Amino acid sequence: MSEHAHDAVEVITTKRDGASLSESQIDWVVDAYTRGAVADEQMAALAMAILLNGMERREISDWTAAMIASGERMDFSMLTRPTADKHSTGGVGDKITLPLAPLVAACGVAVPQLSGRGLGHTGGTLDKLESIPGWRADLTNAAMLAQLEDVGAVICAAGDGLAPADKKLYALRDVTGTVEAVPLIASSIMSKKIAEGTGALVLDVKVGAGAFMKDVDRARELAEVMVALGTDAGVRTVALLTDMETPLGRTAGNAIEVAESVEVLGGGGPADVVELTLALAREMLTAAGATDVDPADKLADGSAMDVWRRMIAAQGGDPDAELPVARESHVVTAEAAGVLTRLDAMAVGMAAWRLGAGRARKEDPVQAGAGVRWHVRPGEAVAAGDPLFTLLTDTPERFDRALAALDGGYEIAAPGSSYDPRPLVLDRIG
Ligand code: URA
């Protein structure tokens, strides 16, 4: 397309005034932004216009295609096994990728899992794995392919060549209040997944206090758009809407979430983490056409754990190494006996973040040992003085702000109060 086919102000005002962008406008603006010919402030204005006025399905599809075209496409078709990937829209205590990737690989389906680092209150899979001594997130495409063929699972950072338009746009959205737009989230996630070249994709769309999508209708809309984008691109795509009102498991942080994942791979671990890992594994196996294996068997017989160990070692990590432990801890106890009836995922995520488990800016380091352990899950009873939370950090001056984040983030009702649990899997699209 000609350099001068459009100009940024024309594209911005089209969307500002509520009209649809043409394919040609979209191709031009995404390409020009990636090359630096459209300025950050112009793309920020366009992102805000998209957030406020929305996009039709056709526009979202064109926008996604333009982001894919901004970089390379990977190809796993030479592998001897089918491939399936999972993407979560981000939650608190969401360590599911860690047990899931080796579990699905143990069932005969290769898992090319390109993951990210955490930003804001949701944790990042790579930050968690980097707490394992020696483990490296950066692999060349050739090393990734070799590991997929040999071990069957790889969790690594997406290379700079994959959807570079999204990398630039995501960083911009993060600082301009334009993350929460369905067209922009859907195209961001799906451009990376389609460019990655997986054969099947299972989306875990989080709903609730700790998720981007607070209500189920918006989450369903996001899931439907993403499933349509994947299906149109030839990727067998399904989505589960899953609860993120309450954080997953009993830990939010980095090393502590790795430890909890290893418990799951060892046949134990919190019931909700096991349930969601198995539900997503079954969807991935079905989408990849491998319906003759029950993933529960592969957890029970230790083969998922074997793949985990090989997967960690293949990326330089020592699966037997002691995980880092935070230097300081602070325990919050129950003032009175009762039943925990609410544990707000956002409050827990903010507390973990403020303790040093997450980062405020992309370039900040994270503390491997920092985070929050909750000793009680909704529906469980406590006695006065029982521990509710253990806060972990290397920098104790962070405790006050973490405690402030937890304040009001949980409720203990009178002893014997009833508790009506929300199902973990709320819906399935696809
Ligand atoms: N994850 C992404 O990759 N992109 C978004 O826009 C939101 C979550």
Side-chain angles (χ1 to χ4, degrees), residues 87-89 166 170 173 179 184-186 188-189 192 212:
H87 182 87
S88 156
T89 56
D166 177 63
Y170 191 72
R173 287 165 57 212
V179 168
L184 295 177
I185 299 176
S188 165
I189 293 173
K192 286 173 285 196
F212 284 127

Side-chain angles (χ1 to χ4, degrees), residues 217-350:
D217 291 337
R218 290 247 311 150
R220 192 173 289 117
E221 181 193 344
L222 176 64
E224 282 169 358
V225 173
M226 291 195 292
V227 168
L229 287 172
T231 308
D232 288 350
V235 181
R236 288 177 302 282
T237 310
V238 295
L240 296 185
L241 302 193
T242 73
D243 182 54
M244 193 28 73
E245 201 57 35
T246 293
L248 276 166
R250 290 178 181 269
T251 56
N254 296 308
I256 53 176
E257 290 199 45
V258 171
E260 195 171 271
S261 305
V262 171
E263 281 173 34
V264 171
L265 287 159
D272 61 333
V273 179
V274 177
E275 179 187 340
L276 188 53
T277 303
L278 287 174
L280 290 166
R282 292 195 174 105
E283 293 290 353
M284 287 168 77
L285 294 171
T286 305
T291 45
D292 51 341
V293 210
D294 183 357
D297 295 342
K298 301 289 175 190
L299 271 187
D301 70 9
S303 42
M305 178 69 101
D306 290 344
V307 178
W308 161 264
R309 295 175 60 81
R310 294 179 58 220
M311 177 182 88
I312 297 302
Q315 289 172 247
D318 177 358
D320 297 314
E322 293 277 310
L323 292 168
V325 176
R327 282 198 286 276
E328 307 282 340
S329 63
H330 176 91
V331 179
V332 178
T333 55
E335 283 174 13
V339 176
L340 186 73
T341 50
R342 186 171 68 86
L343 178 60
D344 183 287
M346 180 61 100
V348 172
M350 289 296 289

Side-chain angles (χ1 to χ4, degrees), residues 94-398:
D94 185 2
K95 70 270 305 167
I96 302 294
T97 295
L98 275 56
L100 181 65
L103 173 60
V104 171
C107 297
V109 171
V111 185
Q113 183 78 53
L114 298 179
S115 295
R117 292 196 165 72
L119 200 60
H121 74 281
T122 61
T125 297
L126 301 181
D127 294 327
K128 294 172 201 185
L129 286 167
E130 276 173 346
S131 68
I132 301 174
W135 188 85
R136 287 186 317 268
D138 292 315
L139 295 185
T140 61
N141 289 355
M144 185 181 178
L145 267 175
Q147 185 173 327
L148 275 176
E149 187 65 42
D150 179 31
V151 180
V154 60
I155 304 176
C156 65
D160 289 340
L162 207 77
D166 177 63
K167 280 212 174 62
K168 208 171 161 191
L169 180 56
Y170 191 72
L172 181 73
R173 287 165 57 212
D174 199 45
V175 293
T176 55
T178 51
V179 168
E180 291 88 350
V182 166
L184 295 177
I185 299 176
S187 56
S188 165
I189 293 173
M190 294 308 294
S191 62
K192 286 173 285 196
K193 293 294 159 183
I194 295 167
E196 170 200 284
T198 184
L201 176 65
V202 176
L203 297 160
D204 180 3
V205 179
K206 300 288 186 199
V207 192
F212 284 127
M213 298 293 148
K214 310 287 178 208
D215 72 85
V216 84
D217 291 337
R218 290 247 311 150
R220 192 173 289 117
E221 181 193 344
L222 176 64
E224 282 169 358
V225 173
M226 291 195 292
V227 168
L229 287 172
T231 308
D232 288 350
V235 181
R236 288 177 302 282
T237 310
V238 295
L240 296 185
L241 302 193
T242 73
D243 182 54
M244 193 28 73
E245 201 57 35
T246 293
L248 276 166
R250 290 178 181 269
T251 56
N254 296 308
I256 53 176
E257 290 199 45
V258 171
E260 195 171 271
S261 305
V262 171
E263 281 173 34
V264 171
L265 287 159
D272 61 333
V273 179
V274 177
E275 179 187 340
L276 188 53
T277 303
L278 287 174
L280 290 166
R282 292 195 174 105
E283 293 290 353
M284 287 168 77
L285 294 171
T286 305
T291 45
D292 51 341
V293 210
D294 183 357
D297 295 342
K298 301 289 175 190
L299 271 187
D301 70 9
S303 42
M305 178 69 101
D306 290 344
V307 178
W308 161 264
R309 295 175 60 81
R310 294 179 58 220
M311 177 182 88
I312 297 302
Q315 289 172 247
D318 177 358
D320 297 314
E322 293 277 310
L323 292 168
V325 176
R327 282 198 286 276
E328 307 282 340
S329 63
H330 176 91
V331 179
V332 178
T333 55
E335 283 174 13
V339 176
L340 186 73
T341 50
R342 186 171 68 86
L343 178 60
D344 183 287
M346 180 61 100
V348 172
M350 289 296 289
W353 180 32
R354 290 180 179 179
L355 288 164
R359 50 171 68 78
R361 289 171 311 162
K362 278 214 306 290
E363 48 287 350
D364 290 348
V366 297
Q367 293 183 20
V372 179
R373 184 184 300 285
W374 47 105
H375 300 272
V376 196
R377 286 192 49 82
E380 293 176 0
V382 286
D386 275 358
L388 293 174
F389 302 98
T390 301
L391 311 189
L392 300 158
T393 184
D394 295 333
T395 37
E397 61 276 15
R398 292 171 178 263

